[in-house]
Amino acid sequence: MGWFAPVVRIKGRGRYAFLLAWRLDKHGKWHGHVAWLVREQVLWKGVDVWMRAEDLEQVQGQDYRRVPRRFDDDVPF
């Protein structure tokens, strides 16, 4: 079975999301690229955003070692 993005919990919202990547900005702050699905009536919509790392928390049992890390001067996603 292939690799799947691990799940994180978004603090204060109780929402869970897939952690797609980490990015270090020019100020030395980490941000997580997260994604989740939202149901809109009968359709599902994918949402992806960059969030501050301090707004995300690890979920027990998830493996975060393979999440890609990018730095501000890297080519953007």
Side-chain angles (χ1 to χ4, degrees), residues 28-39:
K29 301 283 186 177
W30 284 99
H31 300 268
H33 186 196
V34 296
W36 63 88
L37 294 174
V38 177
R39 188 170 183 177

Side-chain angles (χ1 to χ4, degrees), residues 31-62:
H31 300 268
H33 186 196
V34 296
W36 63 88
L37 294 174
V38 177
R39 188 170 183 177
E40 294 183 351
Q41 297 178 356
V42 297
L43 300 174
W44 288 93
K45 176 183 172 184
V47 176
D48 73 299
V49 296
W50 286 95
M51 299 189 73
R52 298 178 310 174
E54 60 260 22
D55 293 332
L56 305 172
E57 57 186 26
Q58 293 184 358
V59 174
Q60 186 175 353
Q62 298 293 300

Side-chain angles (χ1 to χ4, degrees), residues 8-17 36-38:
V8 292
R9 184 175 172 276
I10 301 173
K11 293 180 184 176
R13 295 188 185 172
R15 179 183 302 269
Y16 291 86
W36 63 88
L37 294 174
V38 177

Side-chain angles (χ1 to χ4, degrees), residues 23 33 50 70-77:
R23 182 184 75 206
H33 186 196
W50 286 95
R70 302 285 186 243
F71 300 90
D72 197 47
D73 57 353
D74 284 352
V75 175
F77 287 88

